Amino acid sequence: MTRSEEAGGSGKRQDEEALLVFQVITDTHVRADAEHTHNANLERALRDIATHGASSAGIMHVGDVTDHGFPAEYEEWQRILEQFDGSLPPLYMTMGNHDVGLGNWEERLGQFLRGTGAEGIYHDHWIAGYHFIFLGTEEGLELFSSLSEEQLAWLDDKLGENAAGDRPVFVFLHQPLLNTVAGSYEAQRWYGVVQDAELKAVLARHPQAILFTGHTHWELEAPHNYFDGQGKLPAMFNAASVAYLWTDADEHKDGSQGYYVEVYRDHVLVRGRDFARGEWVEAAQFRVEISRG
């Protein structure tokens, strides 16, 4: 990969047909109350994807599915999904701190796995010839995630599996790495990965990776929603939040956003979508060049 650049052009479609299309959503924070704003925002986001993402290979959820990890919240999650009666792309899940933090770890983890159908704490999938890797915390921490040596070694192996410099690998983890994307800077009260340095060391060996994270809720209009790697790390993207947003002024903001991602022969187009307005986010149209040399 080379550095990411703003794509511009109001999310204008490419002349060539995309090889792969998928969406990235995060921080849905579903509540037990069916009338809650978070739930309505999720329904609206999924309706947007059902309408505009007919060719999508999947929806990648980057954690904080629920607000508290309560069984009633997972029931509401399932109720919302059932409304779409099979019209949505497949869902692939990872967990966030709101899903499994605090409380009894085994109980909270079990509720997440049962409630979402996720295959495990960490898992991977090959979709249309592209590798998708999902990471997850192995401790019930309030804000941070914690990845074992075993998970980091597994990630290193998976990133190298059938690896090629001209084929991106997509990685998903709830918490961002320190001083990378919006909301991950120390001055912004970063809460990330306990093994930040160790995870960066693994990713640095695999420049074809593209990492998507959530957790910060930072709006896509803010600066630094992509991190170009600075020649040392892969590209990284903050995926905002479906439930509500956060601003550079450190303030809550009503809203609902995520990404549509299109993979082409020589680049990946990451397109910010405002689900509340049903519009592309002008400030969040990014192009990641694929190295073919």
Side-chain angles (χ1 to χ4, degrees), residues 237-270:
F237 288 92
N238 158 59
S241 166
V242 167
Y244 65 90
L245 305 175
W246 210 255
T247 75
D248 250 17
D250 199 20
E251 296 176 345
H252 174 281
K253 178 180 178 179
D254 291 338
S256 182
Q257 297 176 337
Y259 284 125
Y260 279 64
V261 182
E262 302 172 0
V263 182
Y264 295 91
R265 182 186 62 83
D266 61 357
H267 68 279
V268 177
L269 188 61
V270 180

Side-chain angles (χ1 to χ4, degrees), residues 143-254:
L143 294 169
F144 281 72
S145 65
S146 179
L147 312 181
S148 66
E149 291 183 7
E150 290 77 11
Q151 183 173 176
L152 290 168
W154 174 86
L155 172 63
D156 202 9
D157 288 343
K158 288 295 180 181
L159 285 169
E161 187 176 293
N162 298 322
D166 62 353
R167 186 168 57 192
V169 178
F170 302 101
V171 184
F172 305 88
L173 173 64
H174 184 62
Q175 286 89 345
L177 293 170
L178 179 62
N179 293 328
T180 56
V181 297
S184 74
Y185 295 89
E186 290 177 284
Q188 296 170 327
R189 296 178 296 165
W190 170 78
Y191 304 108
V193 184
V194 174
Q195 298 80 15
D196 184 82
E198 293 88 340
L199 179 53
K200 284 176 177 171
V202 171
L203 291 172
R205 293 193 284 273
H206 304 278
Q208 78 278 19
I210 298 178
L211 175 66
F212 290 91
T213 59
H215 193 47
T216 74
H217 291 242
W218 237 254
E219 64 177 341
L220 296 182
E221 290 83 356
H224 310 302
N225 277 293
Y226 83 83
F227 173 75
D228 66 12
Q230 299 178 349
K232 299 178 181 179
L233 290 166
M236 302 181 191
F237 288 92
N238 158 59
S241 166
V242 167
Y244 65 90
L245 305 175
W246 210 255
T247 75
D248 250 17
D250 199 20
E251 296 176 345
H252 174 281
K253 178 180 178 179
D254 291 338

Side-chain angles (χ1 to χ4, degrees), residues 113-126:
L113 296 176
R114 290 189 299 272
T116 64
E119 296 185 10
I121 293 174
Y122 49 96
H123 49 96
D124 71 309
H125 310 266
W126 283 89

Side-chain angles (χ1 to χ4, degrees), residues 61-115:
H61 197 306
V62 200
D64 279 1
V65 178
T66 64
D67 209 28
H68 305 90
F70 296 156
E73 293 174 336
Y74 289 111
E75 292 173 9
E76 183 61 14
W77 162 260
Q78 290 295 335
R79 182 196 67 79
I80 292 170
L81 293 182
E82 288 167 5
Q83 291 184 101
F84 292 88
D85 191 28
S87 63
L88 290 173
L91 271 155
Y92 299 88
M93 315 292 295
T94 192
M95 68 189 79
N97 54 298
H98 278 254
D99 300 312
V100 297
L102 304 180
N104 180 281
W105 162 249
E106 294 294 338
E107 179 181 344
R108 298 293 294 277
L109 176 60
Q111 288 172 347
F112 171 79
L113 296 176
R114 290 189 299 272

